[in-house]
Amino acid sequence: LNNCADKGLSVGEMSEFLAFNVSITNSSIAISSKDSSLTKINKLQTENIKTCVEAFNKKQEFNGSIVSVLKMSCFGDIMYDKNSIIKINGQKQ
């Protein structure tokens, strides 16, 4: 994905997303996961990204989100709220 402006991938509202190799360039946020969604990515490569991964609860009728990335090459921020879980390279953030 290239030049997505805001978000490369946005997963939300009880969705499940599974991918093996994801490449995202020139976007503000690479992966956004919210509202009881589950996002699993085997390998994530990014370039020119401000936020690598974010996970949060946006709407009150849902819970937080879970994101797991087995291998990640990204030099941006990782952001999440108290209701969400992010695991990068097997390590809980």
Side-chain angles (χ1 to χ4, degrees):
L1 302 168
N2 185 26
N3 291 321
C4 295
D6 187 33
K7 296 176 183 82
L9 287 173
S10 181
V11 183
E13 295 189 4
M14 299 179 65
S15 297
E16 290 185 22
F17 179 81
L18 171 63
F20 292 98
N21 293 307
V22 176
S23 177
I24 301 173
T25 59
N26 303 311
S27 296
S28 180
I29 300 165
I31 307 293
S32 179
S33 189
K34 57 193 171 291
D35 295 332
S36 301
S37 63
L38 173 62
T39 303
K40 291 184 178 183
I41 298 172
N42 186 49
K43 184 178 180 183
L44 174 63
Q45 294 180 291
T46 69
E47 186 178 326
N48 194 25
I49 298 290
K50 183 176 179 180
T51 301
C52 300
V53 179
E54 68 175 12
F56 58 95
N57 173 228
K58 186 175 179 181
K59 297 179 180 177
Q60 69 182 23
E61 61 267 29
F62 297 104
N63 294 314
S65 179
I66 299 172
V67 178
S68 176
V69 181
L70 292 180
K71 289 184 175 182
M72 183 170 80
S73 174
C74 185
F75 299 102
D77 297 327
I78 296 172
M79 302 172 63
Y80 57 97
D81 64 13
K82 65 180 180 171
N83 300 312
S84 300
I85 297 169
I86 294 179
K87 290 175 87 174
I88 306 292
N89 302 325
Q91 300 286 325
K92 188 174 176 183
Q93 302 299 298

